[in-house]
């Protein structure tokens, strides 16, 4: 049974979403790959905060974005790994139709213990404040 809570103007909170054409279920708290509008760009990565369904059964997903180093102030540096991401304070609402699948964002120490990380394995050492361009913590092991 799917739990739903009524919201304003006919919107309903839902706790999961099935990616169309698949058996893949996405839940609140999962990290997901988001299809970019420009197919030449890499998929975006976000953490699912909430799902909402409107009266027309359209599902929107509230996300908290991860940025790649090149999307943040200072750009990619030599010490950034290929699969490194920064958790940001950038929140957004998108159509759930742009979700391509799940991924995993590991803490750095856990990621270093993975023998063979796959294309859906990422890691995060920093949080990034978009407006102030500040990283937390301001230094880490490399």
């Amino acid at each position: 049974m799917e739990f739903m809570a009524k919201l304003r103007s006919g919107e309903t909170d839902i706790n999961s979403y099935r990616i169309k054409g698949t058996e893949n279920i996405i839940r609140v708290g999962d990290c997901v790959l988001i299809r970019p509008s420009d197919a030449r760009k890499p998929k975006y990565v976000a953490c699912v905060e909430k799902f909402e369904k409107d009266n027309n059964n359209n599902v929107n997903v509230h996300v908290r974005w991860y940025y790649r180093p090149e999307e943040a102030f200072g750009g990619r540096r030599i010490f950034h790994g290929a699969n490194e991401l920064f958790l940001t304070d950038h929140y957004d609402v998108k159509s759930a139709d742009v979700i391509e699948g799940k991924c995993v964002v590991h803490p750095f120490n856990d990621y270093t213990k993975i023998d063979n990380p796959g294309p859906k394995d990422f890691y995060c050492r920093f949080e990034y404040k978009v407006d102030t361009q500040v990283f937390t913590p301001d230094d880490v092991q490399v």
Side-chain angles (χ1 to χ4, degrees):
M1 183 168 115
E2 187 171 88
F3 169 77
M4 293 196 252
K6 282 287 185 193
L7 301 175
R8 66 196 180 303
S9 67
E11 292 178 340
T12 304
D13 261 354
I14 57 175
N15 61 2
S16 64
Y17 172 77
R18 181 183 310 224
I19 298 174
K20 290 180 181 175
T22 75
E23 295 299 314
N24 297 330
I25 304 291
I26 305 297
R27 292 184 171 75
V28 171
D30 286 344
C31 290
V32 293
L33 297 169
I34 303 282
R35 180 175 46 256
S37 54
D38 182 345
R40 295 169 295 182
K41 290 188 173 184
K43 293 174 180 66
Y44 298 114
V45 179
C47 181
V48 174
E49 298 278 315
K50 177 169 92 169
F51 290 106
E52 288 177 342
K53 186 187 293 187
D54 66 18
N55 286 334
N56 297 321
N57 282 331
N58 298 311
V59 177
N60 286 324
V61 59
H62 294 241
V63 297
R64 183 176 183 186
W65 292 108
Y66 284 92
Y67 282 13
R68 288 182 170 79
E70 53 271 18
E71 298 166 326
F73 177 75
R76 183 169 289 280
R77 303 280 174 91
I78 194 157
F79 60 85
H80 290 134
N83 288 349
E84 184 161 11
L85 302 172
F86 309 141
L87 181 61
T88 73
D89 59 351
H90 178 184
Y91 295 84
D92 206 354
V93 179
K94 305 292 274 179
S95 167
D97 291 341
V98 299
I99 297 174
E100 290 207 344
K102 288 185 190 182
C103 63
V104 180
V105 180
H106 304 273
F108 179 68
N109 289 339
D110 293 352
Y111 184 84
T112 62
K113 296 173 187 165
I114 300 172
D115 288 334
N116 223 355
K120 295 180 180 181
D121 285 305
F122 299 92
Y123 69 90
C124 180
R125 296 184 281 183
F126 297 101
E127 286 194 29
Y128 179 66
K129 304 280 186 210
V130 175
D131 289 338
T132 60
Q133 301 176 331
V134 171
F135 290 92
T136 307
D138 55 5
D139 66 338
V140 294
Q141 273 185 287
V142 291

